Amino acid sequence: SMRAAPVGTRVAMANHRNQLLVGDVDAGSLDLLDHSDAGRCEDLAWSADGLWLSYSFQVSARQRAIKLCDLATQRCTLVTQPEFRDYAPSFDPDGRYLYFLSLRTFDPVYDSVQFELSFPRAARPYLIALQAGGRPPFEPVPKGLAPDDPARAPERSQDKGEPPPIELDGIERRIAAFPVPENRFGQIAGVAGGKVIWSVMPIAGAHGRGGHKEGPGRLELFDFATSRVETLVDRADAFALAADAVTLVVRDGKRLRAIAANRK
């Protein structure tokens, strides 16, 4: 796989040798940043300033974890514990969070035919706070009764310019789950204006005899201001978000649509 940085001339690549490389088109350089003995590096994602790279790293045959790489020092750091299957990292446009999906909700479902248990969903969206301190992202803001109460003012997003620096010390302890039920999630991305989109994929039988055949999923939009989720697109197999964090291209079968990601 290959993904170009949103700014600058760097390109990140992951190959079948389980290597992660970054090349500079202008300099003509190609550097090996990381390598896994268990599987490929996947889901390459750049920060908005092009200085950090995140990806899903195969730790073992059963576990994947999220890594962050500082391109200035070429130091790659595990930011989630290598105990689950973490995938699809994506940076918040304001540089506050790193979003990802993970299979770590173990709520077994009983089989209707024979006595067995399975985990048909198991995934939830999560975020990692890239800076220490600050208010927990899903904790309600205290609201006074006065109309000019400063506590009622919505939290402002980061001003455009240089994002705040990423603080790696203790970052693996700054993980929070979105307040949504478990499901089958495919992708996640941060949208301008304090919103997040993700794709929810259907659960279908292996043969489709029960009437639930494999088909497109849907895109959902989560708003930090209200902590509510609404359906953005009813049918979507995959999506790609542009560097402006608003322009969204959605694929449904053989159809492509371009829409604004921050409103229905």
Side-chain angles (χ1 to χ4, degrees):
S1 60
M2 182 169 61
R3 186 171 294 271
V7 295
T9 58
R10 287 176 173 151
V11 179
M13 292 164 283
N15 61 23
H16 67 288
R17 297 188 182 100
N18 307 338
Q19 296 173 328
L20 175 67
L21 306 104
V22 168
D24 193 311
V25 177
D26 284 352
S29 60
L30 186 63
D31 298 322
L32 176 64
L33 296 185
D34 206 350
H35 172 266
S36 171
D37 294 326
R40 299 188 183 187
C41 300
E42 296 179 347
D43 306 329
L44 309 179
W46 288 92
S47 61
D49 55 10
L51 300 179
W52 291 82
L53 181 67
S54 183
Y55 52 99
S56 178
F57 184 81
Q58 189 78 32
V59 181
S60 66
R62 298 179 63 89
Q63 283 84 29
R64 298 191 71 89
I66 303 300
K67 270 192 168 185
L68 263 180
C69 185
D70 183 0
L71 271 299
T73 62
Q74 297 190 357
R75 174 192 174 193
C76 299
T77 305
L78 280 172
V79 294
T80 63
Q81 295 180 353
E83 299 173 354
F84 307 100
R85 293 190 64 85
D86 305 330
Y87 60 102
S90 176
F91 282 91
D92 169 47
D94 294 334
R96 298 174 301 169
Y97 305 119
L98 179 69
Y99 307 116
F100 70 99
L101 303 172
S102 180
L103 301 173
R104 59 173 73 185
T105 301
F106 305 119
D107 189 7
V109 176
Y110 280 98
D111 186 86
S112 299
V113 179
Q114 54 188 356
F115 186 78
E116 289 185 354
L117 292 168
S118 65
F119 303 92
R121 298 177 180 88
R124 289 179 72 183
Y126 294 81
L127 62 77
I128 303 174
L130 296 178
Q131 293 82 37
R135 186 176 61 86
F138 305 116
E139 187 175 289
V141 179
K143 297 181 180 180
L145 299 178
D148 57 348
D149 190 342
R152 300 187 62 181
E155 185 177 350
R156 295 183 179 180
S157 61
Q158 184 72 22
D159 294 335
K160 291 185 177 181
E162 293 188 2
I166 295 177
E167 301 175 16
L168 292 176
D169 187 25
I171 192 171
E172 71 280 355
R173 297 190 297 271
R174 302 198 298 266
I175 297 177
F178 278 80
V180 297
E182 63 166 337
N183 217 320
R184 286 189 64 196
F185 294 94
Q187 295 175 263
I188 188 171
V191 179
K195 296 178 175 63
V196 180
I197 57 172
W198 53 62
S199 58
V200 181
M201 311 310 293
I203 298 176
H207 303 288
R209 296 169 184 161
H212 296 283
K213 298 182 179 180
E214 192 72 31
R218 67 180 184 274
L219 291 189
E220 292 184 343
L221 181 69
F222 179 88
D223 192 337
F224 276 101
T226 62
S227 292
R228 292 181 180 178
V229 179
E230 65 172 337
T231 299
L232 182 66
V233 179
D234 293 325
R235 294 173 58 89
D237 290 311
F239 69 86
L241 188 65
D244 62 6
V246 173
T247 306
L248 182 71
V249 174
V250 181
R251 181 174 67 83
D252 175 15
K254 296 182 179 180
R255 298 178 57 201
L256 289 175
R257 285 196 297 160
I259 63 173
N262 57 357
R263 62 181 183 275
K264 191 170 182 179

